[in-house]
Amino acid sequence: MLSLYTTSAIRFIFLFAPFFVVSMFLVMTHGESLESKRNTAIRACLAATAMGAVLFFAGPLLFSLIGITLDSFRIGAGALLFLTAVSLVNNGTRSHAKGLPNEQRDDISVVPLAMPIIVGPATIGTILVLGAELPTLFETFIGFLGMATAMIALGVMLILSNWLENLLGTTGLNILSKISGLILAAMASDIVFTGISNYLA
């Protein structure tokens, strides 16, 4: 169980692409007070955790309702995650985050910060797969604890975003986003090849 928890937490940390999210958070909260940034970060992570929980536990039911197999969804979700990883490696940003609305909003914590910046299309598909491939409800709960831990880590990074910007700089955050993209590409390849292997078998 400890191994499952640790693996899940590490997977989700990279899946959420924290350094990319920190970069977007800094841009979107520029000029705001530290208290306002902290409140925005907490609300965004709570909203993203709620969405992630629904997706994580609802995967098997959704697949049965639609009538598709887990391995078929692995191939599709892995391909989408791979495209996101390529975008991170090339540009330091996720492809789905390029067309975000430019107008000022009273509250950016849910839209667009929680979705689609933290929980984007590729993340949604991967969460569904990671939740559905766990065989028992107890193991699914342990996996969810790993996701919650990763979200807490992301929340801490958002709260400390000003300090991270001073420590790493914009270039450093961009480089770490690209490194996260490489790891995501490996995760995506593993998901796709697992789906293909099981589907053919």
Side-chain angles (χ1 to χ4, degrees):
M1 291 302 103
L2 179 61
S3 175
L4 173 61
Y5 167 77
T6 304
T7 301
S8 297
I10 293 173
R11 279 185 171 186
F12 278 110
I13 285 174
F14 285 105
L15 180 62
F16 293 139
F19 297 104
F20 159 73
V21 175
V22 167
S23 298
M24 295 295 292
F25 180 79
L26 286 168
V27 171
M28 300 180 72
T29 60
H30 179 71
E32 295 185 10
S33 65
L34 292 177
E35 182 180 0
S36 176
K37 288 186 176 184
R38 182 175 65 251
N39 292 336
T40 299
I42 292 173
R43 288 196 303 270
C45 289
L46 287 175
T49 301
M51 289 184 283
V54 172
L55 294 168
F56 198 72
F57 287 100
L61 176 61
L62 179 63
F63 296 152
S64 63
L65 288 175
I66 299 176
I68 60 176
T69 64
L70 172 59
D71 293 312
S72 298
F73 202 85
R74 275 191 177 114
I75 297 170
L80 189 58
L81 183 62
F82 187 79
L83 292 176
T84 297
V86 170
S87 179
L88 272 174
V89 172
N90 288 337
N91 307 312
T93 183
R94 286 174 167 169
S95 55
H96 64 263
K98 294 179 179 178
L100 297 177
N102 295 320
E103 71 270 14
Q104 293 293 323
R105 294 169 178 259
D106 293 332
D107 186 6
I108 61 169
S109 58
V110 178
V111 179
L113 194 53
M115 179 180 284
I117 291 178
I118 297 176
V119 181
T123 310
I124 290 173
T126 308
I127 290 175
L128 285 168
V129 168
L130 293 178
E133 67 185 8
L134 295 174
T136 67
L137 182 60
F138 181 69
E139 288 178 310
T140 304
F141 179 73
I142 296 297
F144 170 71
L145 288 181
M147 181 177 70
T149 301
M151 191 63 71
I152 291 172
L154 175 59
V156 171
M157 291 179 67
L158 293 180
I159 292 173
L160 299 177
S161 57
N162 286 350
W163 179 80
L164 287 174
E165 184 181 33
N166 292 332
L167 177 66
L168 301 172
T170 303
T171 302
L173 288 172
N174 190 47
I175 290 173
L176 289 173
S177 291
K178 292 175 182 289
I179 293 174
S180 298
L182 289 172
I183 297 173
L184 276 182
M187 287 176 56
S189 299
D190 183 65
I191 292 172
V192 170
F193 285 127
T194 299
I196 292 174
S197 175
N198 291 343
Y199 191 81
L200 292 178

